[in-house]
Amino acid sequence: MSIKVSSVSKFYKSQKALDSVSFSADKGQVIGFLGPNGAGKSTMMKILTGFLKPTTGAVFIDEINVLENPLDAQKIIGYLPEHNPLYEEMFVREYLQFQASIFKVDKSQVDDCIVQVGLTSEAHKKIHQLSKGYQQRVGIAAAILHNPKVLILDEPTTGLDPNQLIEIRALIKKLGKDKTVLFSTHIMQEVEAICDRVIIIKKGQIIRDNTLVELQDKQEQNINVIFDSSLTSAKINQLENLISFKDLKDNTWHLRFTNNEDMRPKLFDFAQENKVKILELTTSNKNLETLFREFTN
Ligand code: ADP
Ligand code: MG
């Protein structure tokens, strides 16, 4: 087990930030840690990386007890904090060499990491000259200098423009090929784009822990359709992928389908086969975004 969190609770004075959180992760998974602001994501990550002590509970990284041996654990963890401080007056390569010396990593690793995170063209610049997306790459490069097995990234894509978002997501996905990655976000699409699994946290409690495939199964297509003449319920019931349907009268039906395939063209074929015409068709799909809102509201 790469990450194991066992009944972790954290109080900041009387404020409860984490409430008996447990989960574990196998090697090589990319896990999205999803939740609204204030849910407890950063608190959990600080505890996982040994920078904050839980009030109760235990965490293990690769079988190392983080509370008992934080320094040993940190040798195999890469951490990108939420507000990652960078020395903006330093040059990219110089900064990374400085970080390497602090963490007693061979400086030859620096150029490797620069290539890995796609910083080659920017490595000679000062950090403050870089765009936010490239600054984020500097943070990620610093986090992987010691080739950690587990990578913990706290909101790595917050504040990036759409192109930078895509690039950083691709980078996380790439790093996930040989590392266990836990990254936090409040964007559901992010999870869809890069994760194998999503853990949803709300008010300090885990309310969902599903693989992406399981979540996608929960998505559905809701379609309201008005035909020009009447059809029997028995006929409607013959539609494929139907979860349920409701007769709203006046030849109007509310249909719920699984997300296996786009049912709109199928409905037009169905109408033709049954010699009726579609006057109106509207969809209100339950995608990951709406599911997330349902979970967290
Ligand atoms: P997230 O990262 O999901 O936005 P946080 O872990 O930062 O959530 O915060 C969880 C809760 O704990 C919030 O209610 C926040 O206000 C509170 N909190 C976080 N850090 C501190 C702190 N140092 N002192 C007091 N309360 C804190
Ligand atoms: Mg946070």
Side-chain angles (χ1 to χ4, degrees), residues 168-272:
I168 295 291
R169 284 178 189 165
L171 174 60
I172 295 172
K173 204 167 175 167
K174 186 179 92 177
L175 293 170
K177 287 200 175 123
D178 61 356
K179 297 183 195 306
T180 308
V181 181
L182 181 73
F183 77 96
S184 65
T185 175
H186 48 261
I187 309 168
M188 192 70 178
Q189 288 96 326
E190 195 116 89
V191 167
E192 205 169 8
I194 42 186
C195 295
D196 307 306
R197 176 173 157 204
V198 54
I199 296 176
I200 302 182
I201 183 167
K202 179 189 175 184
K203 292 188 183 147
Q205 291 184 321
I206 290 186
I207 54 169
R208 287 270 156 181
D209 183 350
N210 289 118
T211 63
L212 196 62
V213 175
E214 284 166 348
L215 271 190
Q216 276 157 348
D217 281 348
K218 290 195 192 348
Q219 300 185 72
E220 52 183 65
Q221 298 174 72
N222 292 312
I223 301 181
N224 273 355
V225 59
I226 307 177
F227 297 110
D228 69 340
S229 47
S230 70
L231 287 168
T232 61
S233 293
K235 239 327 148 221
I236 296 288
N237 207 16
Q238 286 172 0
L239 278 160
E240 292 166 62
N241 303 320
L242 200 60
I243 300 169
S244 71
F245 63 91
K246 206 148 102 204
D247 183 354
L248 301 178
K249 304 291 179 243
D250 301 326
N251 306 325
T252 305
W253 298 83
H254 176 67
L255 311 170
R256 286 173 62 220
F257 296 102
T258 60
N259 221 14
N260 295 344
E261 56 184 323
D262 187 350
M263 289 307 291
R264 291 171 303 177
K266 295 270 169 191
L267 271 171
F268 280 94
D269 293 344
F270 171 84
Q272 199 170 30

Side-chain angles (χ1 to χ4, degrees), residues 12 15 17 36-43:
Y12 292 106
Q15 157 132 39
N37 283 331
K41 302 181 298 293
S42 296
T43 300

Side-chain angles (χ1 to χ4, degrees), residues 62-211:
D62 223 23
E63 320 297 334
I64 299 173
N65 186 327
V66 177
L67 304 181
E68 290 171 3
N69 304 301
L71 296 179
D72 285 339
Q74 282 161 7
K75 282 184 191 146
I76 52 169
I77 302 173
Y79 176 39
L80 179 74
E82 187 170 21
H83 305 288
N84 189 36
L86 293 167
Y87 293 91
E88 302 215 328
E89 278 307 313
M90 284 179 112
F91 293 97
V92 172
R93 181 173 279 106
E94 180 193 16
Y95 171 74
L96 291 172
Q97 283 171 344
F98 168 63
Q99 291 291 313
S101 66
I102 293 177
F103 294 108
K104 301 193 169 51
V105 172
D106 196 304
K107 285 203 178 138
S108 64
Q109 290 296 313
V110 169
D111 281 306
D112 250 24
C113 289
I114 286 175
V115 173
Q116 263 201 69
V117 303
L119 265 175
T120 310
S121 63
E122 311 291 303
H124 63 285
K125 294 186 185 167
K126 281 193 173 177
I127 292 177
H128 74 82
Q129 295 173 317
L130 305 184
S131 68
K132 174 92 169 88
Y134 277 108
Q135 289 188 358
Q136 208 58 320
R137 290 182 199 222
V138 176
I140 295 174
I144 62 171
L145 276 174
H146 57 308
N147 194 21
K149 292 183 187 171
V150 175
L151 200 51
I152 301 208
L153 309 172
D154 198 353
E155 305 218 13
T157 60
T158 297
L160 301 186
D161 72 32
N163 288 328
Q164 296 169 341
L165 260 179
I166 291 169
E167 289 164 11
I168 295 291
R169 284 178 189 165
L171 174 60
I172 295 172
K173 204 167 175 167
K174 186 179 92 177
L175 293 170
K177 287 200 175 123
D178 61 356
K179 297 183 195 306
T180 308
V181 181
L182 181 73
F183 77 96
S184 65
T185 175
H186 48 261
I187 309 168
M188 192 70 178
Q189 288 96 326
E190 195 116 89
V191 167
E192 205 169 8
I194 42 186
C195 295
D196 307 306
R197 176 173 157 204
V198 54
I199 296 176
I200 302 182
I201 183 167
K202 179 189 175 184
K203 292 188 183 147
Q205 291 184 321
I206 290 186
I207 54 169
R208 287 270 156 181
D209 183 350
N210 289 118
T211 63

